[in-house]
Amino acid sequence: MQYNYFPGRLRFRDPVLRDVDIRNAVLEVLSLICPEAEITYKESTAGILAVYPADKIKEEKLKPFLPLLLKIEPKIRFYTPSKKDEVLEGIKRIKDMAEKI
């Protein structure tokens, strides 16, 4: 998965995002992290772009999510449909954390 972060912009790109369940789970987490974000999905690149007011989310707020992202990253990198439940469970852990902040 490709991640790009710049204050005010967060982009994820990976073919796994073409799976509707996984994409919807990711979109839900992003909405929790920053409700003010304008979030779009582009099918041709399998990319999600979140544009948000840079002063609403500080980098420190995103850092706690990194260990959870790193746990599911290998499952995403070598994704097969048999790993879908594991990926969704990893996203759920991120969602649970996002609900607490």
Side-chain angles (χ1 to χ4, degrees):
M1 179 170 283
Q2 178 186 356
Y3 309 89
N4 298 97
Y5 167 76
F6 186 79
R9 294 174 59 91
L10 181 61
R11 181 185 302 275
F12 300 95
R13 283 188 186 154
D14 195 278
V16 73
L17 294 172
R18 288 193 171 103
D19 181 290
V20 174
D21 296 327
I22 292 173
R23 179 174 64 244
N24 287 341
V26 170
L27 292 171
E28 188 175 356
V29 169
L30 290 173
S31 294
L32 282 171
I33 293 171
C34 186
E36 298 89 355
E38 179 183 320
I39 303 168
T40 56
Y41 170 70
K42 190 171 183 181
E43 179 68 29
S44 62
T45 62
I48 292 175
L49 173 65
V51 179
Y52 58 91
D55 61 337
K56 294 290 182 180
I57 297 184
K58 301 297 179 199
E59 189 175 329
E60 298 81 34
K61 186 177 178 181
L62 298 175
K63 283 183 181 179
F65 295 102
L66 189 58
L68 296 174
L69 286 168
L70 291 174
K71 280 186 178 182
I72 63 171
E73 193 273 335
K75 294 171 183 74
I76 292 171
R77 186 178 334 144
F78 303 107
Y79 182 76
T80 62
S82 66
K83 296 179 185 176
K84 181 176 180 173
D85 289 338
E86 293 176 71
V87 171
L88 287 171
E89 181 58 35
I91 295 169
K92 183 183 180 316
R93 286 189 193 113
I94 295 168
K95 178 184 174 194
D96 292 345
M97 180 184 282
E99 290 175 332
K100 294 176 185 176
I101 58 168

